[in-house]
Amino acid sequence: MVPIKKSPARSTRASAQPQLHPGSLVSVRELTPQRTRAILQLADKLEAEETLKRARRLLKRRVALLFYESSTRTRTSFELAAKSMSADTTLVSALSSSIEKGESLKDTGITLRALGAECIILRSPYSGAPYLLAQSTGLPVLNAGDGMHEHPSQALLDLRTMLRFLGIKSAKLNEKSLKGVTVTICGDIFHSRVARSNALLLPKLGARVVLCGPTPLLPDLATTLGPGVSIERNFDSSLKQSQIVMMLRIQAERLAGLSLDLDEYRSNYQANGERIAAHAPKALVMHPGPIIRGMEITSEVADGPQSAIAEQVSHGLAIRRALLLQALSPQPISGKRA
Amino acid sequence: MKPILIRGGHLIDPATGIDAPHDILLEDGKVAAIDKPGKIKRKDAEILDASGLVVAPGLVDIHVHLREPGQGYKETIASGTAAAAAGGFTSVCCMPNTIPVNDSPEITRWMLAPERNAVIRVFPISAATVGSMGEKLTNYPALKKSGAVGVSDDGKPILGDEIMFECLKAATRYRLPVIQHTEDTRLTAGCSMNAGPVAFRLGLRGMTVESESSLAERDIALVRKVKGAHLHVAHLSSKKALDAVNAARNEGLHVTCEVAPHHFVLNEERIGDYDTNAKMNPPLRAESDRAAMIEGILQGRVDCIATDHAPHACHEKEQEFERAPNGITGLETALGLTISVLHKQHGMPLPSLLAMLTHRPAQVLSLTGRGTLAVGSHADVVLFDPNEKWTFRAKDSRSKSKNTPFDGYPMLGRVHTTISEGRIVFQR
C-alpha cells in the first residue's frame, strides 16, 4: 500500500455562493440557541401585543408567497401572520402563473422583487431552492418547505408547542433547556423535511431525538444528521422513552417506486389508542399535518386529550409573525430587545 | 510553415523515457530532432526559449464534450478546442451526445471538417447504438473509416446484456474500444449526488457506488466472453469500480479506465449549499473514494486522466440543484490541479503524472503518433512552468461556458505555449 498523505479536499467557496440576506431562514442550521430564543420571545411578544399596535408593525410592507407545491397550514398561517401586521401579501402559485410557461425560479424571483416584494416565502418541491432564490434576488427568503430538505418554521412552531407542554419559558431557552427530554419522530423520515428540521434543531437545545420507522423510510445513515439523533426500529420501545411523539405521514408523492406493505406498517408504526395508552399515556402527540386518519394515526389519538395537532397550527401563526418581522427589520432583532 | 526550435527547456517524454534538458526541432508538423542542449542548429527556424519550462508532449484528453452539432450556445468545436489549447491539450476525443447524436459517418465527418475551426486535433467517439438509444448498433466499419476512434453511448449507458454483448463483438471485429459510462441508471432515477450522509442531510436522492460498480462488473463479465474485446470505463469514481477493473486486468482482460481531476481533488462536501457547479455524473464521492482514486493513480491502477469537460450555459446551471444539468468544464484546470494534487501533495514524479495525460490516454484509444515526442511523431508540444502558482478565474476561460467548481482555485503549474502539429496555437 502506498501511504496516502492526508490532503483534505479543499472547499474554497469562491464567488459562487454569496451570503444570504440576514433576515432569511432557509435551514435550522442557521439557528443558534440565542437566535432561536429571540424568535420565540418575539413570537410571544407579538402574540401578547394589542391588535392595533401589532397592526402597525408591517404597514404596507410587501410580502410575496411563492408556492410551487400545495399547502394549507403553512401558506395560510404565513399569510395571516403577514396580514395581522398589515403587510400586503401576494400569492403566486405554480399553476396560475408564468411558471407554467417555463419561467425559472430566478426570473420569477426577480419579477417579484421588481414588483416591490421585500421578502419572499418559498415552498418548492426542490431541495435547496430557497438558496437559489435568495442568491438571485438578494431578498430575505423564508423557507416554507423545500423538497425533502427542511421546513424550519415548522420546527420552530413545534418547539414552541413542546415548550408550552413542558412548561419552559421562551426567555429561559438555552442549549440545555431540553436536557432529559426525548422526542420520538415516527414515520416517513426519509422524505420528510419536517423530520430533518426537527432532528437538527432539538438536539441544539439539549433534547434527544429518536427516529422510528422501517428501513425503506428511515435509512441507517439518518443518525449522521448530528449528535443527539438515534434510531429505534421498535415503536413501542421508543414510545416508552419519550415525553413527546411526533407522527409523520407517508409521502406517497415522493415514494418514487418504493412499495410498502401498508397493513404491516399500520401494525408496527400506527399511533392508535391502545398503543399510546400502553406505552406513552402521558406523552404529547404531535403531527405536522396533513394527517391521514387511519394510517399513521387513528382518530382516537388525533382527536384525543394528548393530541397537540390543532395547537401546533396556532403556534404556526405566532412563529411566522416573528419570522416575518425579523425578515423585514433593518437589523436582526436581538434576544434582549424583544 | 517555419520550423520551430525549442531551446533550453527540460524535456519530459514518458513514452521514450526522456527526462533531461534537451532541445527539440519541429518541422513539417512532425518532431524532426531531439538532442542535447545547443546541439541542434537551424538558421531558418523560429526559436522558442524554454528555459525554466518543461517541454512535454501535447496533452491528450480522451473524454470531452464539445457540444457541436446542436448546442453551440454551450460550446463550439472552435471554442472548446481553444480552451483545450489553453490547457495544454493538443488532442481531444469528443463524446457523441450532440444534437443530433453522432451516430453516423456524416456527422463524424462534419465534426472533422475544416469549417469547424478546431485549433487542435479532434477525434470523435461515435455512438455505439443508433441515437444512443441502446437498441440497434451503429455502423462500426463506416464510422471508423470516417474517423471515429471508439464507440460509446456515454451519458446513456448500454444496459441491455444482449446489446452490450453485440456491441463488444462488433467493436472487437473492427478494433474499436467500447467506452462505457458505467452507471446502472435503473438504480439512480431521480438521484442528483452521491448517496451518503451529505445527500441525506440535503434531502437529495443519492447514487450509490454500487450503481457504478455493478454495471462495470456486468460489462467485464461480457468482455470475458468476447476474445480480444477492449472495454474502457469512463470517468471512474469509486474504489469498488476501480477494484473491479483491476481484477479484470489481473485476469488478463483488456479493460482500461480513466479518472477525472475533480474526482481526485474534491469530495461530496464541495456541494455545500447546493452548488450546481459541483454537480456532475458520476457525482463527487465520499472522501474515502477520493482517496482511493489518488491511491489508484499512484499505484498505476488507473490508465489515464480525462477531464469529462462538460460545458453548460449559465442559465442552465442557475436552477434548482435537482433540475440543473450534470457536468463541469475541465480543460483549463486539469494540468494545474494534477500537478498541485498528485505531484506537490502526493509526490508523484512529473514523468509518471505526464504519462497519464499523454501517451497512456493516446494508447487507450490508439491515437498513433500522439502523446509522445519520439522523432517522427506529430509535432504536438506543450511548454509549461511546473512551479508557477496561479489562480484560475472562470471569467478568463476560453470555453463558452463557466460552469466550474474551481473558480478562484489555486493551481500549480501553468501552460506557456501549446503547439499543435507544428503550429503555435496558444501562447501566454
Side-chain angles (χ1 to χ4, degrees):
Chain A
M1 291 280 277
V2 176
I4 297 300
K5 271 193 275 175
K6 229 177 145 48
S7 64
R10 285 167 296 178
S11 127
T12 52
R13 192 62 53 79
S15 54
Q17 302 203 333
Q19 288 282 305
L20 302 182
H21 187 287
S24 289
L25 181 59
V26 176
S27 161
V28 299
R29 281 185 295 148
E30 299 149 33
L31 295 177
T32 56
Q34 295 70 34
R35 192 175 165 200
T36 309
R37 183 175 66 224
I39 293 167
L40 290 170
Q41 284 185 286
L42 185 56
D44 292 350
K45 181 179 168 179
L46 290 170
E47 192 173 57
E49 204 164 68
E50 188 225 327
T51 315
L52 284 176
K53 189 176 176 207
R54 189 167 65 211
R56 285 192 295 273
R57 289 258 183 196
L58 293 176
L59 186 64
K60 300 310 277 179
R61 303 293 295 273
R62 293 184 211 180
V63 174
L65 295 110
L66 180 52
F67 275 62
Y68 286 79
E69 257 183 10
S70 55
S71 162
T72 306
R73 273 157 294 274
T74 306
R75 200 198 77 200
T76 313
S77 67
F78 264 118
E79 199 170 344
L80 291 175
K83 284 184 168 148
S84 72
M85 296 182 288
S86 302
D88 285 345
T89 62
T90 315
L91 171 68
V92 179
S93 61
L95 278 180
S96 57
S97 63
S98 287
I99 294 162
E100 241 185 325
K101 301 174 193 164
E103 187 162 43
S104 70
L105 178 61
K106 174 179 172 165
D107 287 319
T108 306
I110 290 171
T111 303
L112 291 174
R113 188 184 60 193
L115 289 169
E118 298 169 84
C119 167
I120 303 176
I121 296 154
L122 175 69
R123 165 160 294 189
S124 167
Y126 296 107
S127 298
Y131 289 105
L132 174 65
L133 184 67
Q135 284 155 16
S136 5
T137 60
L139 294 177
V141 169
L142 298 176
N143 181 3
D146 61 329
M148 297 164 16
H149 177 225
E150 284 214 38
H151 197 347
S153 65
Q154 178 74 40
L156 286 166
L157 73 87
D158 288 339
L159 175 64
R160 192 171 198 250
T161 312
M162 293 175 201
L163 294 180
R164 289 287 165 93
F165 171 71
L166 298 165
I168 299 168
K169 293 231 173 351
S170 303
K172 298 263 186 240
L173 196 66
N174 62 35
E175 64 282 353
K176 290 185 190 131
S177 299
L178 298 181
K179 228 170 162 196
V181 176
T182 298
V183 180
T184 282
I185 307 178
C186 177
D188 186 357
I189 310 290
F190 180 66
H191 299 103
S192 174
R193 50 200 177 207
V194 176
R196 279 181 186 74
S197 287
N198 270 292
L200 287 168
L201 179 63
L202 296 171
K204 289 190 193 198
L205 306 164
R208 199 164 75 90
V209 171
V210 177
L211 302 174
C212 186
T215 312
L217 300 180
L218 173 58
D220 288 331
L221 56 79
T223 53
T224 61
L225 272 179
V229 180
S230 58
I231 288 179
E232 170 57 75
R233 301 279 175 201
N234 186 307
F235 189 28
D236 293 348
S237 40
S238 74
L239 282 176
K240 275 181 214 157
Q241 314 164 32
S242 303
Q243 289 76 52
I244 294 163
V245 52
M246 186 182 295
M247 302 305 298
L248 300 174
R249 165 181 79 96
I250 295 177
Q251 302 198 25
E253 73 274 28
R254 291 186 227 273
L255 281 185
L258 207 70
S259 68
L260 212 64
D261 183 334
L262 292 180
D263 275 336
E264 195 185 320
Y265 184 81
R266 277 191 201 94
S267 84
N268 290 334
Y269 298 105
Q270 186 185 61
N272 55 42
E274 199 184 331
R275 177 172 268 143
I276 296 294
H279 305 296
K282 288 183 183 155
L284 185 73
V285 177
M286 299 174 65
H287 194 308
I291 67 174
I292 310 295
R293 287 175 187 257
M295 177 51 75
E296 72 274 6
I297 192 166
T298 60
S299 287
E300 191 186 357
V301 175
D303 301 333
Q306 289 172 254
S307 167
I309 298 174
E311 204 184 317
Q312 283 172 269
V313 178
S314 342
H315 287 311
L317 193 60
I319 288 295
R320 284 159 184 146
R321 265 193 212 116
L323 292 178
L324 279 164
L325 189 58
Q326 267 208 345
L328 290 166
S329 295
Q331 267 109 40
I333 289 160
S334 78
K336 278 175 197 147
R337 261 181 56 197
Chain B
M1 199 162 39
K2 230 175 154 182
I4 295 176
L5 178 56
I6 305 169
R7 288 200 306 211
H10 184 98
L11 198 140
I12 300 180
D13 182 28
T16 55
I18 302 174
D19 178 10
H22 270 312
D23 292 352
I24 177 169
L25 178 71
L26 312 176
E27 191 169 15
D28 298 328
K30 297 281 164 66
V31 176
I34 292 182
D35 214 332
K36 298 216 167 61
K39 290 272 187 199
I40 307 173
K41 310 268 186 225
R42 270 299 284 266
K43 287 224 168 75
D44 60 338
E46 179 182 347
I47 309 289
L48 286 186
D49 177 14
S51 38
L53 303 179
V54 166
V55 179
L59 309 182
V60 177
D61 189 349
I62 62 171
H63 194 142
V64 302
H65 298 268
L66 296 180
R67 303 300 186 206
E68 266 193 319
Q71 293 177 310
Y73 67 96
K74 295 180 195 249
E75 194 80 287
T76 60
I77 290 172
S79 67
T81 53
F89 290 91
T90 51
S91 305
V92 293
C93 304
C94 57
M95 283 296 174
N97 62 335
T98 46
I99 300 175
V101 168
N102 177 20
D103 59 3
S104 71
E106 291 72 30
I107 299 172
T108 304
R109 279 195 291 268
W110 183 92
M111 289 172 154
L112 292 171
E115 294 77 36
R116 300 291 86 76
N117 293 313
V119 302
I120 57 152
R121 197 49 74 177
V122 171
F123 298 92
I125 291 162
S126 293
T129 66
V130 176
S132 286
M133 298 304 285
E135 284 160 10
K136 188 171 171 283
L137 297 188
T138 50
N139 187 342
Y140 293 2
L143 287 167
K144 183 164 184 177
K145 215 172 146 211
S146 66
V149 295
V151 292
S152 178
D153 282 348
D154 192 28
K156 296 171 98 181
I158 305 171
L159 297 181
D161 297 350
E162 199 62 35
I163 185 80
M164 187 60 180
F165 185 49
E166 292 305 318
C167 165
L168 284 165
K169 279 198 295 191
T172 306
R173 193 172 314 134
Y174 300 103
R175 292 165 176 265
L176 282 167
V178 176
I179 304 163
Q180 175 90 304
H181 164 130
T182 59
E183 174 195 355
D184 189 337
T185 48
R186 290 163 297 201
L187 303 175
T188 56
C191 296
S192 53
M193 68 171 290
N194 183 46
V198 182
F200 188 83
R201 178 170 57 72
L202 293 176
L204 294 171
R205 296 175 198 275
M207 305 182 199
T208 58
V209 293
E210 285 76 19
S211 64
E212 179 174 84
S213 61
S214 65
L215 199 62
E217 281 158 12
R218 192 281 314 257
D219 289 346
I220 289 164
L222 293 172
V223 168
R224 253 181 227 125
K225 294 194 209 164
V226 183
K227 198 169 179 290
H230 175 197
L231 171 75
H232 178 71
V233 178
H235 46 46
L236 186 141
S237 66
S238 65
K239 179 177 191 301
K240 232 174 161 167
L242 182 59
D243 288 347
V245 165
N246 279 278
R249 226 197 294 261
N250 293 340
E251 249 181 75
L253 301 177
H254 192 189
V255 180
T256 53
C257 68
E258 70 197 26
V259 169
H262 48 267
H263 286 129
F264 63 75
V265 177
L266 302 175
N267 65 30
E268 58 190 346
E269 301 277 355
R270 177 60 184 81
I271 288 168
D273 293 331
Y274 307 87
D275 186 348
T276 57
N277 282 332
K279 181 184 179 186
M280 71 291 286
N281 187 6
L284 295 177
R285 299 285 187 188
E287 177 58 17
S288 57
D289 279 312
R290 184 186 82 90
M293 294 305 104
I294 291 183
E295 188 178 293
I297 291 169
L298 297 182
Q299 292 172 335
R301 297 165 81 221
V302 173
D303 292 273
C304 63
I305 293 167
T307 67
D308 193 10
H309 176 80
H312 290 293
C314 192
H315 70 269
E316 295 171 307
K317 280 291 195 180
E318 275 191 332
Q319 292 193 79
E320 292 90 338
F321 193 84
E322 289 158 274
R323 298 179 79 188
N326 286 309
I328 62 167
T329 59
L331 286 164
E332 288 158 285
T333 47
L335 185 66
L337 290 171
T338 305
I339 293 177
S340 121
V341 173
L342 296 181
H343 177 62
K344 183 82 189 304
Q345 289 177 24
H346 293 278
M348 187 177 192
L350 274 181
S352 327
L353 176 157
L354 284 170
M356 309 221 27
L357 286 163
T358 57
H359 90 281
R360 288 174 69 178
Q363 220 168 25
V364 168
L365 293 191
S366 306
L367 310 177
T368 24
R370 309 284 168 182
T372 172
L373 294 176
V375 172
S377 51
H378 295 284
D380 292 347
V381 187
V382 60
L383 277 62
F384 67 92
D385 179 350
N387 300 312
E388 185 174 339
K389 289 182 182 148
W390 60 292
T391 301
F392 176 69
R393 300 282 173 210
K395 66 173 173 56
D396 300 332
S397 170
R398 265 93 179 155
S399 168
K400 272 198 169 186
S401 295
K402 316 294 172 197
N403 52 310
T404 167
F406 298 114
D407 190 17
Y409 212 81
M411 302 275 159
L412 181 65
R414 192 166 203 186
V415 174
H416 279 234
T417 306
T418 307
I419 300 167
S420 169
E421 297 181 358
R423 285 168 297 111
I424 295 175
V425 291
F426 173 79
Q427 208 157 22
R428 203 169 51 78

